[in-house]
Amino acid sequence: MKRFVLGVESTAHTFSVSIVSSEGEILSNSKSVYKAPEGSGIHPFEASQSHIASAPAVLAAAVETSKVPLGEISAVAYAMGPGLGPCLRVGGVVARTLAAKLEVPLVPVNHAVGHIELGCLLTGMKDPVVLLVSGGHTMIISHSGGRWRVLGESLDLTLGQLLDQLGRHHGLASPCGRAIEEAAMGGGYRRLPYAVKGNDVSFSGLLTASKTMLDGGTSFKDVSYSVQETAFAMVAEVTERALAFTGKREVMIVGGVAANRRLSEMMTVMAGRHSAAMASSPLEYSGDCGAQIAWTGWLAYSSGSWIPVQDAKVRQSWRLDVVDTPWRS
Ligand code: AMP
Ligand code: MG
């Protein structure tokens, strides 16, 4: 019998609700995205107020679009972390209230695992080396011994933060990744710091140097192009090492930065050298969304992982390599 799970995402700028079926159909994926004022980053409290204001309409739209009566929902999943405390609590309260009202199990989901499992559902990849690149993460991940393991990561800023902070320095409003991608088209290359340390990357020197370059009069176009070429080559290098080390046959990019076509292009060339398949999560689902939580919620629920409603909590820090994944065992 087909079952339905409702998932709530609220870790950062996005409040989103989705309903998926046990067969992997995404029946709705409604969202509202908090926009920070021009030139500044996410303000956690203001983002949480925006989530509170939009939650009723987003929830109503997700239920209506899915055409699934609330009484047919088998479980409610929510992003328990990692993320911004005030934002996480809004999703936690909405999910807990719904689970109590519907008298169904509550399923806590790790947001990063959510990006990966939804990516696998949508790309058809089974056991990939994953490049998770978003506002909150820059990690190279592979599954082994019952968990997703981190094989490399950023030592400071995430790739999303690098792009957003550069864009904000230029006066754009976050998120700035797409504007930088567009500006980079036809830009010229200028040398910038390239920092790979072991299998980790560091973007802080690259950010400082690119801001200085902008302040010195280099065009936003050239700086955008050069930042993309440098940062994407760094993550492609460490992903390549992870691919060679694990001997896996698939590479998948997930997280908001997966929308970037130049990143996909470079990763496809790299994967091709190892005869590995390469796929990026589709644009509509690459950023934060309820579907990543609902689908992973179904995987967890169907393998017996849920909690009593009264035990609901949020975890601002929650690394994905401590999360058991019984559905993959
Ligand atoms: P997420 O945290 O997964 O919602 O991803 C948000 C991040 O993705 C932000 O840092 C955006 O700037 C970034 N992003 C979105 N679209 C693009 C793009 N086309 N190129 C690069 N980065 C992007
Ligand atoms: Mg994310």
Side-chain angles (χ1 to χ4, degrees), residues 9 11-13 82 111-112 115 132-137 254-256 286-289 292:
E9 157 61 30
T11 57
H13 44 58
H111 174 87
H115 271 300
L132 168 58
V133 274
S134 66
H137 291 86
V254 294
S286 59
D288 295 350
C289 65
Q292 74 192 75

Side-chain angles (χ1 to χ4, degrees), residues 11-14 111 115 132-137 158-164 174-182 228 232 254-261 263 283 286-289 292:
T11 57
H13 44 58
T14 302
H111 174 87
H115 271 300
L132 168 58
V133 274
S134 66
H137 291 86
T158 66
L159 185 49
Q161 284 167 338
L162 166 71
L163 299 172
D164 293 345
S174 265
C176 313
R178 179 183 293 208
I180 289 179
E181 177 175 16
E182 280 164 14
Q228 283 203 161
F232 296 171
V254 294
V257 188
N260 190 289
R261 281 152 292 177
L263 176 61
L283 193 60
S286 59
D288 295 350
C289 65
Q292 74 192 75

